[in-house]
Amino acid sequence: MSRKKIIAGNWKMNMTPTEAVELVNTLKPLVANDDVDVVFCVPAIDIIPAMEAAKGSNINIGAENMYYEDKGAYTGEISPAMLKDAGVKYVVIGHSERREYFAETDETVNKKALKAFEYGMTPIICCGESLTQREQGITIDWIRQQIKIAFLNIPAENAAKAVIAYEPIWAIGTGKVATTEQAQEVCQSIRSCIAEIYDEATAQAIRIQYGGSVSAGSAPELFAQPDIDGGLVGGASLKPEFGDIVNYKK
Ligand code: PEP
């Protein structure tokens, strides 16, 4: 099955609303490529201005996080209804920085993924191992466990539409990209895990990204792997280099 690549930027806690508009305007012509789904996941306060700036382009504006309750006394959180009303279609769930600094767990990732689907949004569900886990040889078991919990109670028709981002923690923001073999091995095992939970059709439909120091140099080989359907890109998504990553084939 041929899956459309999805290349998403994760801006993290960078860019004021003014800077966000400038960056969207700079990148707009550089990321024009209809063969790929292009998503800019931006800070909540940047969503509306970035969306305005992206109008008429191929850029989808996504969110970096959301809460799993519909509404209420959760000071400082962003609800799924707020994102939906703003026109957001993609939301990053369970980034390793959220897990490390904001106590997110596989269970909260599952609750958020369920909510994203309830509101008709596509979760970009992050998973990944630490350097210690890789050195202990438990990467595949760890990732399979993360995936099994993340997808609890998610029906196959929704799972098929999900995006999974495999991001080894030791490769995020370190300039230390995983080898294509390492990235492909884990992405393939994620696809097999989805086939075990659901079926082969769901496994073949789901899109799996690699993330971790992706650059214009590493993107072509990574994205040519059979089980890697694009990337989640941090640092390089804030630069014109993101245009080269999106146009990795040209
Ligand atoms: C990320 O933020 O998900 C990420 C992969 O960052 P970087 O590309 O900077 O490693």
Side-chain angles (χ1 to χ4, degrees):
M1 157 184 279
S2 93
R3 293 174 291 271
K4 190 173 184 185
K5 299 278 190 220
I6 174 162
I7 301 179
N10 172 21
W11 287 12
K12 313 195 188 207
M13 198 175 72
N14 295 298
M15 301 294 139
T16 63
T18 306
E19 290 166 341
V21 169
E22 284 167 11
L23 185 58
V24 170
N25 285 331
T26 302
L27 293 182
K28 217 169 8 180
L30 307 179
V31 300
N33 179 356
D34 289 331
D35 297 338
V36 170
D37 284 331
V38 176
V39 188
F40 289 10
C41 298
V42 307
I45 197 166
D46 295 343
I47 289 173
I48 289 175
M51 224 168 238
E52 277 295 311
K55 254 190 196 143
S57 77
N58 63 322
I59 300 169
N60 293 282
I61 300 298
E64 295 178 13
N65 179 38
M66 66 166 208
Y67 199 47
Y68 52 74
E69 295 291 352
D70 295 303
K71 64 193 297 190
Y74 304 103
T75 303
E77 289 293 331
I78 306 288
S79 78
M82 291 168 188
L83 295 183
K84 174 92 182 156
D85 185 64
V88 165
K89 296 201 177 68
Y90 296 92
V91 53
V92 176
I93 303 285
H95 190 280
S96 63
E97 288 152 13
R98 299 286 321 166
R99 294 177 190 251
E100 182 177 354
Y101 305 124
F102 303 98
E104 296 205 5
T105 63
D106 291 335
E107 287 70 24
T108 60
V109 167
N110 174 241
K111 286 183 180 180
K112 290 180 177 194
L114 283 161
K115 263 303 160 192
F117 282 122
E118 190 183 317
Y119 280 81
M121 294 182 283
T122 300
I124 299 177
I125 300 170
C126 300
C127 60
E129 82 286 3
S130 66
L131 188 57
T132 309
Q133 288 168 324
R134 178 155 284 273
E135 286 169 352
Q136 287 170 341
I138 59 168
T139 297
I140 302 290
D141 287 347
W142 174 257
I143 301 288
R144 284 172 57 85
Q145 176 74 359
Q146 286 189 315
I147 295 297
K148 282 183 182 163
I149 300 174
F151 281 86
L152 274 176
N153 302 318
I154 294 179
E157 65 267 28
N158 283 346
K161 290 184 256 162
V163 176
I164 297 173
Y166 165 55
E167 299 206 300
I169 297 168
W170 48 271
I172 298 179
T174 58
K176 215 190 217 181
V177 64
T179 64
T180 41
E181 292 75 21
Q182 288 171 326
Q184 164 59 22
E185 183 196 20
V186 178
C187 291
Q188 183 182 39
S189 76
I190 291 172
R191 203 175 300 286
S192 323
C193 185
I194 294 292
E196 280 169 37
I197 302 170
Y198 299 100
D199 48 46
E200 194 52 35
T202 308
Q204 288 305 319
I206 203 165
R207 292 188 289 178
I208 305 174
Q209 300 172 312
Y210 166 79
S213 297
V214 172
S215 65
S218 59
E221 204 180 311
L222 283 164
F223 300 167
Q225 300 307 302
D227 290 296
I228 302 181
D229 306 313
L232 183 56
V233 182
S237 72
L238 300 170
K239 304 186 224 165
E241 181 182 0
F242 194 57
D244 298 327
I245 295 174
V246 168
N247 290 294
Y248 69 99
K249 263 198 176 163
K250 295 181 183 161

